[in-house]
Amino acid sequence: MADTAPREFAARCQPVQRVDGGTDGTGDFESVVPPSPERGDLKVGEHLYWLRPRLRQRFIATVLASGELEVEGCRYRSPSDAATACAGSPANGWTAWRLEDGTLLDKLRP
């Protein structure tokens, strides 16, 4: 959930496009940030944070087993797709999202 998120967020929330072209929210998804317990980086269910203090916004994304990020019930294949939906304009999700300890997601980039 986001604190003081833009009201238009729900309108920007679009289903993730499946690799096979479907958009029904099921099936195999192209994974951009696959969780990897073997590497010890991201874990399924882990939260990523994007704080925008000047705008008084805080977004929380959850890492899914497919490697997607879920923000406010919407699934995104890339960190930038999630950040762009939150911001309402193009955003680099790799440098926006952080782990709880403050590490930028970009530091874990494959």
Side-chain angles (χ1 to χ4, degrees), residues 34-82:
S36 177
E38 296 82 27
R39 286 194 315 256
D41 50 14
L42 293 176
K43 295 172 181 48
V44 174
E46 186 168 10
H47 290 127
L48 302 176
Y49 301 89
W50 184 20
L51 304 178
R52 302 178 81 194
R54 289 185 184 169
L55 298 175
R56 296 184 180 170
Q57 294 175 336
R58 179 181 68 148
F59 297 98
I60 300 172
T62 303
V63 177
L64 303 177
S66 62
E68 298 166 298
L69 297 179
E70 181 177 77
V71 181
E72 295 188 356
C74 296
R75 295 166 60 161
Y76 302 95
R77 288 192 300 182
S78 78
S80 293
D81 287 347

Side-chain angles (χ1 to χ4, degrees), residues 7-110:
R7 289 188 183 275
E8 302 81 25
F9 185 86
R12 292 192 304 271
C13 182
Q14 299 296 318
V16 173
Q17 185 75 26
R18 287 197 342 225
V19 174
D20 66 5
T23 57
D24 64 359
T26 63
D28 295 325
F29 289 88
E30 181 179 347
S31 180
V32 177
V33 189
S36 177
E38 296 82 27
R39 286 194 315 256
D41 50 14
L42 293 176
K43 295 172 181 48
V44 174
E46 186 168 10
H47 290 127
L48 302 176
Y49 301 89
W50 184 20
L51 304 178
R52 302 178 81 194
R54 289 185 184 169
L55 298 175
R56 296 184 180 170
Q57 294 175 336
R58 179 181 68 148
F59 297 98
I60 300 172
T62 303
V63 177
L64 303 177
S66 62
E68 298 166 298
L69 297 179
E70 181 177 77
V71 181
E72 295 188 356
C74 296
R75 295 166 60 161
Y76 302 95
R77 288 192 300 182
S78 78
S80 293
D81 287 347
T84 295
C86 292
S89 60
N92 182 343
W94 292 98
T95 58
W97 297 105
R98 294 178 180 268
L99 300 175
E100 188 172 9
D101 68 4
T103 302
L104 281 175
L105 186 59
D106 192 48
K107 299 294 182 190
L108 304 179
R109 196 174 212 171

